[in-house]
Amino acid sequence: MDGIEHRLRGLLRGEKRMIAQIISAVENDCAQGLLQNIFPYTGRAYHVGITGPPGAGKSTLVNAVAKQFLQQGKKIGIIAVDPSSPFSGGALLGDRVRMTDLAAHRDVFIRSMASRGSLGGLARTTKDAALVLDAAGMDYVLIETIGVGQVELDIAGVCDTTVVVLVPESGDSIQAMKAGLLEIADILVVNKSDRDGSERLVMELKFAMEMREREPDWEYPILMTTATEEKGIGQLVIALQAHIDHLSMTGKLEEQRKAKLLHHVHELVEQKIRSHLEENVMHEHDLRTLVDRIYRRRLDPYRVAERIARKIVKGSR
Amino acid sequence: MKRAKWDAKFKACRERDIDFSTVSGLPVRPLYTPADIAGFEHDRDLGYPGEFPYVRGVQTSMYRGRLWTMRQFSGFGTAGDTNRRYKYLLKHGQTGLSVAFDFPTLYGRDSDDPFARGEVGKCGVAIDSLQDMETLFSSIPLDKISTSMTINPPAAMLLAMYIAVGEKQKLPAHILTGTIQNDMLKEYQAQKTWIYPPEPSLKIIADILEYCAERVPRWNTISISGYHIREAGSTAVQELAFTLKNGFTYVERGISAGLPVDKFAPRLSFFFNAHLDFFEEIAKYRAARRIWAHTMRDKYGAQDPRSYLMRFHTQTAGCTLTAQQPENNIVRTAYQALSAVLGGTQSLHTNSMDESYALPTEKAVKIALRTQQLLAYETGVPNTIDPMAGSYYVEALTNELEREAYKYFEKIDKMGGVIPAIEKGYFQKEISRSAYSYQVALERQRKHHVGVNIFTEDEKPAIETLKIPPAVEKVQIAKLRRLRRERNNQRVKEKLRLLRKAAKDGENLMPRILDCVRAYATLGEMCSTLKEEYGVYREPIIF
Amino acid sequence: MERKIRVLVGKPGLDGHDRGAKVVAAALRDAGMEVIYTGLHQTCESIVDAAIQEDVQVVGLSILSGAHMTILPRILKLLKTRKAGDMIVIGGGIIPADDAKKLEKMGVRRLFGPGTPTVEIVDWIRANAGKVGKSGKVGKSGKVPRHQTVKKKKATAVARWRKKK
């Protein structure tokens, strides 16, 4: 059986088992050949990122938004990222639980990903996994970040639209500004808006967003939702669609996506160089012995780097 | 010999290589002396039996007057099957009934609900309507027994069915005695049997409090349960603290529903676990009584002593039963039962040795019941009241558990109370962490469980177990369908409509539920009706 | 990078006793596995959907309600019809010996009774889940997966380094 052909066909037909297995291969870094073949079929889906502090209700919000898209007859891919344990490398992935209404739907595919050591709120392979869902014919790919309170800004580099979700309690607004979350937001959501302090948070956010450099023709919406009761979700969906329109009308969609592709290429090149270094030029071990000498001031890091770079260019030792 | 000298000598001795801590992880010193209970005053800290703060027991004469109620939790198959088992237990000297319902009933679903597949009559008796309830208590006069029903989200419906059975036996509601568990808070925290979200659930509970205070005054309206919190893996301190905090939350609800505290608090009772650590358990029951007495009197202003004396039922810990060497469970359960009796329980269930395999056989249940009877009639334990009082260790442990419980109360208050803490997953997290660290302690041999991680044997035990024939499901469904054909469906529809309306208008639901029950509306029909109004609960996932 | 073991831990049916499921899930995580926890009260269908979308090697089901003879065969059947019959199904809970025998005959690979140390479950999964795994084949068309080269090079580098010493 021809692996790639067969798998690609399954993927394009939207076979769930095949999508799932390809994402696993992507996660395990053994799908490069396949990704090359998949790429031409991507670029149609619209990627939405959902990020925010822990307990903001991101999964519930994703669930509610996805339901509305389904009613419009759209196909939805969802990726929910949870942290891997830094000690064991294992992970407990529980975001699905809040999406049980959706999981069985024909037009929904939900995948949990562990961060596997990545620190920016996504796994290193989340972007490629999203491409797989794109190729599988999803209209929307919703990506939910880890949400453990660390700085999770990677999402903006992956998605067309970034939704930042905050909640009234626990002084999130101030933390969010510090963490740069507001800088990446295209749409702001105050979830659990039935609780005390939500009005105040909205005011604070309005103020903060006025300080932010304006994007012409886009008024950052600040919406109130109660995702558990599916309140305010309609407005959010409208805002998302307005943002797509805005991006495509102003030509920003293409511009943004090109910037992201450029970044992606850079990343891949860096990875290539790194593995080339590892495999063909100098292994970590040898580098360590060099560092030993640098430490004793027999060598200096600048000259070593220079020499290694020259070796890489030449291609081998 | 002076203490310092003994300490030095003791230090020179070698200790066994285990953790000297209670099963819940509280450190245990090698020796307790008066120094460990400095400032202890008998009359103030313990009081006399039947007197504030009730540490020595809630009745003046305790077991000298009347032994605890031996109440074996039981139910399986159809109502007819369970009715036969009840008659067997009553014949063998059991003094109260305790109904175990099957899962579909516990969740307010009918036996033909798709979710009920494979579960009908498995873990308890299947009750779909008043008709089944009539069979369950057929030729058991309700004025001669008290009945405890372990039922939570649909508690109001089952209580209504019991009242309706009473009506058929020509017995007025005000003479009925018994208990419904009706403790939803611990469901969200530990046992995880829920239908509606917390707020409407608590509203229904307040309705029951109000209704029973008027109409069924001898009924215990909530059995505030630590048992399940413990079974889910909590420590003794967590069981104590969470259970009491739940209790206070119900009291606050009753008060804010406009009921005077002394009108409903006397009908609140408790339900605790009897776990492995003998002394810790005794201390837990004693601390619980002291906390309840003080808080109810001083914080909630109760004036009737019945509002602040804590009555409780105890069940030995199901989670400690082993599938390995199952006969050991008889002994294990006996020790646990002893701790409950020394802790002053009002009623007791002893687990059967085969329950880590299936529901118990008649023989296994009889041995479990005999375990209690041995304790009551042979050991001499009930001859004097609260014989553990004054033990340096037990008193020190009682104080410590009490202190730790108050720390938890404070934490929960800071989160805004029990319900916000549930929504944040606080209890769930605390409990699953404790469960996991206990498992880790077992696997590292820091704690022991005979037959599981010490004194293990290879051979598989041959043990006879109770089988629920698959036909039960078919029989039950057929009976249910016949009922739906034969009853007056117009009347059912009308009564359900009125129930829905009462829910919408925020009226007390009990009278409406009773009307539905009398019209033979099914449990599933009533619960779905309320679900339409109240919505369903979604758990937060916490590890 | 080696292939991560992914395990679904599910609670089918109505029983709410999730202590065991959660303890096992935590233990598997601490053993380095990625665990998808389904939450309580799941239908067989939703568990199978999750298992497929999450591409787990192992589906672990905890059942303490006595409904195992209904639920487990149904999950096996659903997996088969969804072309995921290669997933390993294991179970835990209160399951009498004669039922266990029947279930193992039907294709449940292993049943872990009460009191099983979590290490035993971890070891069993490690020994059995690594072997098959269709998705491992995906990238192998033509190109040797990177991790294999790395390993080889690592070995020679170490040898070189030792020689130098």
Side-chain angles (χ1 to χ4, degrees):
Chain A
M1 199 186 327
D2 179 1
I4 290 197
E5 270 293 300
H6 169 71
R7 269 150 211 275
L8 188 61
R9 237 177 293 135
L11 174 67
L12 298 178
R13 274 198 303 264
E15 288 173 16
K16 289 192 174 174
R17 182 104 212 257
M18 194 59 81
I19 303 173
Q21 290 178 337
I22 292 175
I23 293 179
S24 296
V26 165
E27 280 195 292
N28 293 326
D29 274 331
C30 41
Q32 204 201 334
L34 196 56
L35 280 169
Q36 284 168 9
N37 287 283
I38 288 171
F39 192 78
Y41 299 96
T42 63
R44 286 179 306 179
Y46 179 65
H47 297 237
V48 179
I50 290 100
T51 188
K58 294 185 287 295
S59 303
T60 316
L61 197 71
V62 168
N63 182 55
V65 168
K67 265 195 199 164
Q68 298 240 342
F69 281 141
L70 275 180
Q71 278 166 15
Q72 302 175 3
K74 305 290 185 196
K75 291 185 175 165
I76 318 292
I78 296 172
I79 298 176
V81 189
D82 271 324
S84 295
S85 155
F87 306 108
S88 68
L92 279 170
L93 310 170
D95 289 329
R96 287 191 83 86
V97 177
R98 293 182 190 81
M99 305 177 190
T100 42
D101 314 354
L102 292 175
H105 198 287
R106 194 167 42 105
D107 293 335
V108 177
F109 186 98
I110 306 173
R111 179 62 174 242
S112 315
M113 289 183 92
S115 64
R116 298 195 183 177
S118 201
L119 294 174
L122 299 179
R124 190 174 44 77
T125 52
T126 298
K127 193 186 308 187
D128 290 334
L131 285 176
V132 174
L133 291 176
D134 188 340
M138 302 300 166
D139 296 298
Y140 290 91
V141 178
L142 308 178
I143 303 176
E144 181 196 330
T145 69
I146 293 181
V148 292
Q150 64 196 48
V151 185
E152 295 180 0
L153 307 180
D154 282 1
I155 190 78
V158 175
C159 292
D160 298 313
T161 300
T162 303
V163 179
V164 171
V165 190
L166 300 167
V167 273
E169 60 250 37
S170 74
D172 284 329
S173 56
I174 296 145
Q175 278 174 10
M177 281 173 246
K178 264 199 215 150
L181 265 183
L182 298 191
E183 301 290 319
I184 61 166
D186 298 306
I187 295 169
L188 282 160
V189 169
V190 173
N191 192 27
K192 305 189 185 177
S193 62
D194 49 345
R195 298 199 178 167
D196 287 347
S198 56
E199 303 278 345
R200 213 192 63 209
L201 178 58
V202 170
M203 292 301 291
E204 283 175 1
L205 290 173
K206 272 193 182 138
F207 182 71
M209 292 308 273
E210 274 163 21
M211 312 295 283
R212 182 177 155 184
E213 203 177 313
R214 292 220 141 257
E215 192 185 319
D217 308 321
W218 180 246
E219 187 97 23
Y220 297 106
I222 303 175
L223 306 170
M224 291 170 89
T225 60
T226 307
T228 47
E229 290 164 35
E230 303 186 17
K231 279 188 193 148
I233 305 303
Q235 266 100 334
L236 176 55
V237 168
I238 290 168
L240 282 169
Q241 276 153 348
H243 194 242
I244 311 176
D245 291 346
H246 158 74
L247 288 176
S248 29
M249 249 138 49
T250 54
K252 279 213 62 166
L253 188 64
E254 188 175 331
E255 192 184 311
Q256 237 176 253
R257 284 187 172 184
K258 277 182 180 163
K260 280 164 195 169
L261 287 172
L262 180 67
H263 183 69
H264 196 181
V265 172
H266 273 300
E267 266 180 4
L268 289 171
V269 170
E270 275 166 36
Q271 269 171 37
K272 292 269 162 221
I273 293 179
R274 204 172 263 281
S275 51
H276 177 64
L277 171 71
E278 276 261 306
E279 288 166 27
N280 303 320
V281 181
M282 184 169 287
H283 192 265
E284 187 78 12
H285 261 299
D286 307 307
L287 202 55
R288 289 232 169 110
T289 49
L290 278 183
V291 169
D292 205 41
R293 294 173 66 194
I294 298 174
Y295 177 79
R296 282 183 273 115
R297 300 300 189 270
R298 303 256 174 86
L299 283 172
D300 68 87
Y302 314 102
R303 215 168 316 176
V304 169
E306 184 67 37
R307 250 187 260 162
I308 292 174
R310 236 180 275 149
K311 268 193 184 173
I312 290 172
V313 175
K314 264 194 256 163
S316 70
R317 241 164 309 205
Chain B
M1 190 159 70
K2 284 269 150 50
R3 177 65 195 253
K5 210 165 150 196
W6 181 84
D7 281 343
K9 273 179 94 171
F10 180 78
K11 247 183 208 141
C13 302
R14 205 164 52 193
E15 290 188 69
R16 286 179 294 125
D17 182 29
I18 60 158
D19 283 350
F20 288 99
S21 59
T22 66
V23 76
S24 302
L26 294 177
V28 179
R29 293 189 277 279
L31 186 73
Y32 286 78
T33 67
D36 293 297
I37 49 168
F40 172 80
E41 269 180 45
H42 174 274
D43 290 10
R44 182 199 64 198
D45 297 339
L46 305 186
Y48 288 88
E51 303 294 328
F52 192 87
Y54 304 99
V55 176
R56 304 208 63 176
V58 292
Q59 292 111 359
T60 309
S61 60
M62 284 302 286
Y63 307 139
R64 291 281 286 228
R66 208 180 68 121
L67 288 165
W68 63 91
T69 304
M70 298 176 194
R71 197 191 290 280
Q72 296 294 95
F73 184 46
S74 157
F76 61 92
T78 63
D81 298 330
T82 302
N83 177 259
R84 276 187 290 283
R85 174 68 68 91
Y86 287 169
K87 287 182 187 153
Y88 173 88
L89 286 167
L90 292 171
K91 194 180 104 198
H92 284 275
Q94 175 162 298
T95 46
L97 292 179
S98 175
V99 188
F101 297 101
D102 69 354
F103 272 110
T105 308
L106 291 173
Y107 281 90
R109 289 172 189 256
D110 287 339
S111 297
D112 60 349
D113 186 296
F115 242 111
R117 275 173 74 176
E119 315 245 22
V120 176
K122 281 278 161 60
C123 272
V125 58
I127 301 291
D128 289 318
S129 73
L130 176 58
Q131 198 179 49
D132 295 325
M133 204 70 160
E134 289 163 3
T135 313
L136 187 66
F137 293 102
S138 147
S139 46
I140 298 175
L142 300 191
D143 54 344
K144 298 286 189 300
I145 52 149
S146 72
T147 303
S148 168
M149 292 190 275
T150 297
I151 190 80
N152 292 283
M157 288 86 179
L158 271 302
L159 172 60
M161 288 182 193
Y162 195 82
I163 294 171
V165 171
E167 287 169 357
K168 305 246 155 167
Q169 294 187 1
K170 307 251 173 331
L171 301 167
H174 66 80
I175 67 157
L176 298 178
T177 60
T179 307
I180 40 174
Q181 196 163 77
N182 196 27
D183 172 10
M184 280 311 297
L185 293 173
K186 67 90 174 59
E187 294 296 338
Y188 299 115
Q189 294 161 344
Q191 170 87 346
K192 323 276 172 95
T193 312
W194 51 59
I195 303 176
Y196 328 109
E199 280 304 329
S201 293
L202 285 181
K203 192 264 170 195
I204 298 173
I205 291 172
D207 286 353
I208 295 171
L209 292 180
E210 193 187 359
Y211 184 85
C212 288
E214 286 302 321
R215 307 290 189 84
V216 206
R218 295 172 64 195
W219 198 267
N220 294 315
T221 46
I222 313 178
S223 168
I224 306 156
S225 305
Y227 182 81
H228 318 84
I229 295 174
R230 194 67 182 278
E231 288 289 297
S234 84
T235 64
V237 173
Q238 289 165 335
E239 179 193 356
L240 174 67
F242 299 169
T243 308
L244 273 108
K245 194 67 188 164
N246 290 348
F248 299 139
T249 307
Y250 293 124
V251 169
E252 286 164 15
R253 287 298 166 131
I255 293 172
S256 61
L259 296 170
V261 64
D262 286 327
K263 185 96 181 159
F264 66 91
R267 297 325 303 178
L268 301 179
S269 63
F270 284 78
F271 172 19
F272 289 112
N273 197 297
H275 209 275
L276 292 172
D277 198 301
F278 188 71
F279 293 110
E280 185 175 50
E281 294 304 283
I282 297 170
K284 179 183 76 186
Y285 309 121
R286 303 173 88 244
R289 279 194 294 267
R290 189 153 67 202
I291 298 171
W292 184 251
H294 274 286
T295 314
M296 287 304 287
R297 193 189 65 175
D298 302 341
K299 185 170 174 191
Y300 296 108
Q303 284 168 3
D304 183 343
R306 292 179 311 143
S307 297
Y308 47 76
L309 62 81
M310 171 190 274
R311 296 169 298 132
F312 66 95
H313 171 69
T314 309
Q315 179 171 340
T316 56
C319 63
T320 67
L321 297 178
T322 60
Q324 299 80 355
Q325 307 169 34
E327 295 84 354
N328 295 350
N329 292 327
I330 299 173
V331 186
R332 196 172 273 126
T333 296
Y335 289 136
Q336 295 172 354
L338 178 57
S339 77
V341 167
L342 288 173
T345 194
Q346 275 58 62
S347 59
L348 180 61
H349 167 104
T350 33
N351 291 325
S352 302
M353 62 168 162
D354 52 356
E355 287 187 78
S356 61
Y357 285 94
L359 294 189
T361 60
E362 261 181 22
K363 185 178 168 197
V365 175
K366 191 156 70 179
I367 293 172
L369 178 60
R370 295 282 184 253
T371 303
Q372 293 198 43
Q373 290 163 340
L374 277 161
L375 187 51
Y377 296 99
E378 288 185 3
T379 62
V381 167
N383 287 347
T384 186
I385 301 168
D386 187 27
M388 300 307 288
S391 149
Y392 305 125
Y393 178 38
V394 170
E395 296 301 351
L397 205 51
T398 304
N399 293 343
E400 187 171 357
L401 281 159
E402 185 182 14
R403 263 197 312 276
E404 294 298 316
Y406 276 105
K407 281 187 200 157
Y408 268 118
F409 296 164
E410 220 171 276
K411 263 188 225 164
I412 297 162
D413 284 337
K414 268 196 191 136
M415 278 180 272
V418 170
I419 290 182
I422 286 171
E423 285 166 351
K424 286 195 181 81
Y426 173 72
F427 300 102
Q428 301 87 313
K429 197 187 303 178
E430 284 280 313
I431 294 168
S432 37
R433 281 190 188 157
S434 299
Y436 189 45
S437 43
Y438 181 63
Q439 180 67 29
V440 170
L442 281 179
E443 293 187 15
R444 296 200 178 136
Q445 295 281 333
R446 304 313 293 169
K447 294 269 176 236
H448 287 125
H449 209 165
V450 171
V452 175
N453 71 346
I454 190 166
F455 311 119
T456 52
E457 289 171 15
D458 277 340
E459 67 263 37
K460 290 242 154 90
I463 185 162
E464 201 186 309
T465 55
L466 183 80
K467 285 269 171 212
I468 309 294
V472 164
E473 192 158 323
K474 277 195 197 128
V475 171
Q476 185 65 20
I477 291 175
K479 188 179 173 194
L480 174 62
R481 301 222 161 119
R482 196 166 53 240
L483 173 80
R484 287 216 191 94
R485 275 198 310 273
E486 290 170 1
R487 68 187 179 178
N488 179 346
N489 280 304
Q490 204 51 44
R491 185 168 160 230
V492 171
K493 223 167 136 189
E494 174 60 13
K495 298 298 176 195
L496 287 171
R497 191 186 63 78
L498 291 172
L499 174 62
R500 173 84 198 260
K501 188 173 174 299
K504 188 174 256 154
D505 298 345
E507 282 171 37
N508 192 317
L509 298 183
M510 274 306 291
R512 297 291 173 211
I513 291 174
L514 203 51
D515 285 346
C516 291
V517 163
R518 289 184 188 120
Y520 292 91
T522 66
L523 188 59
E525 288 161 350
M526 289 183 273
C527 290
S528 314
T529 301
L530 292 181
K531 245 186 259 180
E532 285 165 22
E533 188 59 36
Y534 294 141
V536 291
Y537 179 68
R538 281 285 159 78
E539 62 173 331
I541 286 297
I542 300 293
F543 285 97
Chain C
M1 197 184 282
E2 69 190 84
R3 189 181 177 211
K4 273 268 175 211
I5 297 178
R6 286 168 70 89
V7 184
L8 178 140
V9 174
K11 284 288 306 172
L14 286 173
D15 111 67
H17 301 95
D18 58 359
R19 173 180 180 166
K22 284 188 160 183
V23 164
V24 169
L28 298 181
R29 173 204 55 200
D30 288 351
M33 300 178 197
E34 291 180 354
V35 183
I36 290 91
Y37 179 63
T38 66
L40 291 166
H41 314 146
Q42 297 302 299
T43 60
C44 297
E45 286 77 4
S46 74
I47 284 176
V48 168
D49 276 318
I52 286 175
Q53 294 175 23
E54 299 292 353
D55 191 34
V56 295
Q57 293 101 310
V58 180
V59 179
L61 301 163
S62 158
I63 306 172
L64 290 94
S65 70
H68 47 268
M69 293 309 281
T70 310
I71 289 170
L72 288 170
R74 180 152 176 78
I75 291 211
L76 288 170
K77 195 175 146 216
L78 283 168
L79 281 172
K80 233 171 248 161
T81 53
R82 309 276 300 270
K83 291 184 194 150
D86 56 318
M87 283 185 187
I88 295 171
V89 176
I90 59 178
I94 299 182
I95 294 168
D98 43 344
D99 284 351
K101 249 184 230 151
K102 280 184 212 152
L103 289 168
E104 282 172 4
K105 236 183 220 154
M106 288 179 206
V108 175
R109 288 282 296 281
R110 184 74 192 263
L111 290 161
F112 296 96
T116 308
T118 56
V119 196
E120 195 180 315
I121 303 173
V122 167
D123 289 346
W124 190 91
I125 291 178
R126 279 203 183 121
N128 291 276
K131 287 178 188 166
V132 279
K134 280 183 175 169
S135 49
K137 291 183 203 156
V138 168
K140 286 185 187 166
S141 50
K143 198 178 178 284
V144 184
R146 191 167 75 86
H147 65 272
Q148 291 187 9
T149 11
V150 174
K151 257 187 203 155
K152 222 166 81 194
K153 289 282 171 189
K154 214 176 244 170
T156 50
V158 170
R160 242 196 342 267
W161 180 77
R162 285 210 177 112
K163 250 185 215 164
K164 270 186 205 161
K165 245 179 106 180

